[in-house]
Amino acid sequence: MSLVRLTIKGISYSQTQNGAYALLLSEMEGQRQLPIVIGAFEAQSIAIALEKDIRPPRPLTHDLFKSFSDRFSIQVKQVIIHKLVDGVFYSSLICERDKIEEIIDARTSDAIALALRFNAPIFTYQNILEKAGIYLKTDEKEDEDEDDPLQETQLMINKEFDEEDLSEDSPSKSETPKKSIQDLEKELEKAVNKEDYEEAARLRDEISKRK
């Protein structure tokens, strides 16, 4: 199976789940997008890593992992999102120390937060993109905003630093009423057009389960 390199398109607030965020990944040589629902803690960590000029007052967990790895000459060479089961993405960290390579299982949100800190590329397989990827329609407004695809990031960082407690657990998914696949596909298209990537991901997973 061939690997496809991904980039981070942006992070958006969940419009349906309190405390959840949608991380949007995009293939570098194509138009498919891969939305992944993540928790507030991981979203904050990823957003801070994207905003190079912002440093938290104390190291976050992923910053601590980076410092620990640097001290012991461990490098994260790449991240691979290698499996999708029941709407859950599974990832691996490809690490190296003294020219010895090790593969470590990781949550996708943690793996991406670390990839940013190590400047490591992010990959997935073609079959995962074919199963879970979505096509986003572009328009002139989106083209104008393309220079700043993470415009919500700064607002999110400010909001999260004001919160005293950040949970590392993603909230439970809301239940989808019994609807036909055709109705769900229409709702998926509407969610994509509204850039509600978290809802699009939920609907996509529901459609996949029924097929």
Side-chain angles (χ1 to χ4, degrees), residues 114-154:
L114 290 172
L116 288 169
R117 286 162 171 80
F118 283 89
N119 293 318
I122 303 167
F123 296 94
T124 191
Y125 290 106
Q126 279 284 2
N127 65 322
I128 292 179
L129 267 179
E130 290 169 0
K131 181 179 180 181
I134 59 177
Y135 287 91
L136 298 184
K137 296 180 180 179
T138 59
D139 53 29
E140 293 182 0
K141 182 179 184 302
E142 183 175 344
D143 292 338
E144 292 174 359
D145 294 339
E146 197 169 18
D147 292 336
D148 188 17
L150 302 170
Q151 55 188 339
E152 293 188 53
T153 301
Q154 180 64 56

Side-chain angles (χ1 to χ4, degrees), residues 34-80:
L34 193 65
I36 300 176
V37 179
I38 62 176
F41 177 84
E42 294 80 8
Q44 179 201 36
S45 181
I46 291 170
I48 289 173
L50 289 168
E51 294 289 335
K52 304 294 185 181
D53 296 331
I54 296 178
R55 291 183 178 273
R58 297 294 297 157
L60 301 179
T61 302
H62 301 112
D63 298 320
L64 175 61
F65 185 96
K66 176 64 164 61
S67 298
F68 176 89
S69 300
D70 289 344
R71 183 65 61 90
F72 292 96
S73 302
I74 300 170
Q75 283 293 318
V76 174
K77 307 298 291 185
Q78 62 183 15
V79 165
I80 300 178

Side-chain angles (χ1 to χ4, degrees), residues 159-191:
K159 176 179 181 296
E160 295 303 333
F161 274 139
D162 288 338
E163 298 289 340
E164 293 184 358
D165 297 314
L166 286 175
S167 172
E168 294 195 33
D169 298 324
S170 298
S172 59
K173 296 182 179 180
S174 57
E175 296 183 358
T176 302
K178 292 297 182 181
K179 297 180 180 179
S180 67
I181 291 181
Q182 290 77 10
D183 289 338
L184 291 175
E185 288 175 341
K186 290 179 181 178
E187 291 187 11
L188 173 60
E189 183 177 357
K190 290 180 181 178

